Amino acid sequence: AVLTGVVALSLAALLKSYRSGGSLVCLGLLAGIATGTKYTAGLLLLPILFIWWHTSTERQPKRLFAALASFIGAFLVTTPGALLQPVRFWRDVAFERFHYGEAGHYGFTVEPGWEHLSLSLRWLSSDLGSHYTPLALFITFLALVGAVSSWRRDRTEAVLLLLFPLAWLLFFSTQKVLFVRNLLPLAPCFALLSARGLSYISSSMPG
């Protein structure tokens, strides 16, 4: 729940930074806090790199370095064990890599690749939006409409919205363990795209 909330804040900050410009420090801070809650949230650096590449005049290195410094600082503040007990920290990281990538987890082990991805997509489309499957599928339809309309309106902004959730989904699909709770950080983007889809359909209706 904490990670999902931070991802939602990061999404809002990304859109604000894209539309208004300014410092990327806030984005770095949020990404660092998110990574402190779950290390794979380091994927939030991808949209930061993308927005720096596309919006910076001459792509000033200082702007990027400030974001990376704030990311590292926030991560270390929220995960002090990385400094205080580095050997144990890296041992724990190695264990989780082994757990997810090789050993699996009883009752939650799947084949990495297509099986993992297809099961994840099935849960996202039929369960994330609602416990009532028809409503969940309708919300998924709205999200797809929202993604297409966002792409047609502003492709750069659409990439910002989709880069993290797609990278997250693809990364976890390479693992042997499928916990659907790991898909919850995709909910903020899913909700935003659904709202955009509903708005697009409403504005397209006559009268």
Side-chain angles (χ1 to χ4, degrees), residues 22 24 52-53 55-66:
L24 300 179
W52 171 77
W53 182 263
T55 62
S56 296
T57 303
E58 298 180 355
R59 303 185 181 95
Q60 307 100 321
K62 289 183 179 180
R63 193 164 181 247
L64 178 61
F65 291 157

Side-chain angles (χ1 to χ4, degrees), residues 6-82:
V6 178
V7 169
L9 291 173
S10 297
L11 186 61
L14 274 170
L15 293 175
K16 184 178 186 301
S17 181
Y18 171 66
R19 294 169 181 172
S20 306
S23 173
L24 300 179
V25 170
C26 180
L27 296 177
L29 287 171
L30 289 170
I33 293 170
T35 307
T37 65
K38 192 171 185 67
Y39 301 149
T40 45
L43 291 169
L44 283 168
L45 285 174
L46 294 177
I48 295 176
L49 292 172
F50 181 82
I51 199 172
W52 171 77
W53 182 263
H54 278 268
T55 62
S56 296
T57 303
E58 298 180 355
R59 303 185 181 95
Q60 307 100 321
K62 289 183 179 180
R63 193 164 181 247
L64 178 61
F65 291 157
L68 294 177
S70 63
F71 168 82
I72 294 171
F75 174 75
L76 292 177
V77 168
T78 56
T79 316

Side-chain angles (χ1 to χ4, degrees), residues 113-129 136-137 140 144 165-166 169-170 173 178 180 183 186 190:
W114 174 247
E115 182 182 5
H116 195 298
L117 179 61
S118 61
L119 289 172
S120 297
L121 291 173
R122 179 181 176 182
W123 185 84
L124 287 170
S125 61
S126 61
D127 291 281
L128 177 60
L137 292 173
T140 299
L144 292 174
L166 288 178
L169 188 61
L170 291 175
S173 70
L178 173 56
V180 294
L183 299 174
L186 306 184
F190 192 82

